[in-house]
């Protein structure tokens, strides 16, 4: 019995390392997502290839943490946009923000944009701002409200990252954190298919 209890605790801790659970159902169950694992590029390519439905990112018009305006029109400006939904309370989310900053810097010449959606920016703006300032983030971060907030709050785990094409279609999605190498691998793979 003790061994079973220890095994259960180990499994729960392993899941907590790469994602923070939100306990809700996904907003759009037709969006293909996968848990963060150490799977190889072949597994990621297979998951991306198997996605057949065209699912659009929910329409939004919102403010950024910096005070600017942002909407779905932002997708038209890039070949691919990486949209990372995160929370200041989520350890894996905060740990991957510097990796996303590097991705943003490294992918500009490939016409790839990075955007964050700070899940708790409306309720805990100061904590969100501190995380972004500490990591010297230059990519835009959205304060979710209205339908965007409903969408964000319906996600099962944080971070969740969506890869959106210039038409606003979600071409790939993942739950859990990645490092720069993992993000770069996915982006390069998706770009090669566009």
């Amino acid at each position: 019995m003790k061994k079973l209890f220890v095994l259960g605790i180990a499994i729960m801790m392993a899941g907590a390392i790469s994602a923070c659970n939100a306990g809700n159902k996904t907003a759009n169950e037709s969006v293909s997502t996968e848990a963060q694992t150490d799977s190889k590029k072949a597994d990621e390519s297979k998951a991306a290839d198997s996605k057949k439905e065209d699912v659009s990112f929910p329409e939004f018009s919102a403010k950024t943490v910096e005070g600017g305006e942002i909407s779905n029109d932002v997708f038209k400006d890039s070949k691919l946009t990486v949209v990372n939904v995160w929370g200041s309370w989520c350890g894996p989310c905060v740990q991957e923000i510097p990796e996303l900053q590097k991705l943003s810097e490294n992918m500009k010449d490939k016409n790839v944009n990075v955007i964050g959606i700070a899940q708790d920016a409306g309720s805990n703006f100061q904590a969100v701002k501190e995380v972004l300032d500490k990591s010297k983030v230059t990519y835009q971060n959205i304060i979710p409200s209205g339908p965007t907030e409903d969408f964000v709050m319906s996600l099962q785990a944080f971070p969740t990252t969506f890869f959106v094409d210039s038409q606003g279609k979600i071409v790939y999605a993942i739950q859990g954190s990645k490092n720069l190498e993992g993000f770069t691998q996915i982006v390069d793979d998706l770009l090669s298919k566009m």
Side-chain angles (χ1 to χ4, degrees):
M1 183 72 150
K2 185 177 178 182
K3 288 181 182 180
L4 185 59
F5 177 74
V6 171
L7 178 62
I9 295 295
I11 290 170
M12 289 185 336
M13 289 177 66
I17 290 171
S18 66
C20 299
N21 287 333
N24 296 330
K25 289 189 175 185
T26 56
N28 192 334
E29 293 190 8
S30 63
V31 174
S32 163
T33 59
E34 68 174 345
Q36 166 64 24
T37 64
D38 293 330
S39 64
K40 298 186 180 188
K41 184 177 179 181
D43 292 338
E44 292 169 345
S45 296
K46 184 178 175 184
D49 288 341
S50 68
K51 185 173 178 336
K52 295 186 169 113
E53 294 183 45
D54 282 338
V55 178
S56 294
F57 196 85
E59 289 194 33
F60 66 91
S61 179
K63 293 245 184 231
T64 65
V65 170
E66 299 79 25
E69 299 284 333
I70 190 168
S71 71
N72 284 62
D73 290 341
V74 72
F75 298 132
K76 296 176 186 175
D77 298 334
S78 302
K79 189 170 188 177
L80 185 69
T81 302
V82 179
V83 181
N84 178 256
V85 184
W86 65 283
S88 66
W89 48 267
C90 170
C93 298
V94 172
Q95 289 174 344
E96 81 175 352
I97 287 177
E99 303 296 294
L100 288 161
Q101 177 60 37
K102 291 175 196 170
L103 181 74
S104 175
E105 294 165 3
N106 294 349
M107 291 291 173
K108 287 211 183 280
D109 63 333
K110 293 185 177 183
N111 200 17
V112 174
N113 190 21
V114 176
I115 295 173
I117 300 180
Q119 177 268 335
D120 57 334
S123 62
N124 202 355
F125 182 82
Q126 191 57 39
V128 167
K129 189 78 171 117
E130 286 173 16
V131 169
L132 296 174
D133 289 347
K134 182 178 178 183
S135 297
K136 297 180 172 90
V137 170
T138 59
Y139 60 87
Q140 294 177 306
N141 274 269
I142 296 170
I143 301 171
S145 63
T148 309
E149 185 174 23
D150 295 341
F151 171 72
V152 167
M153 296 307 291
S154 71
L155 297 175
Q156 287 184 330
F158 295 90
T160 295
T161 305
F162 299 94
F163 299 82
V164 183
D165 69 13
S166 61
Q167 303 300 310
K169 302 288 185 208
I170 298 172
V171 294
Y172 197 66
I174 57 172
Q175 290 181 339
S177 62
K178 290 268 185 209
N179 60 18
L180 177 61
E181 182 180 340
F183 280 122
T184 301
Q185 199 171 14
I186 293 169
V187 168
D188 285 342
D189 186 50
L190 292 172
L191 288 175
S192 73
K193 295 177 174 132
M194 295 180 136

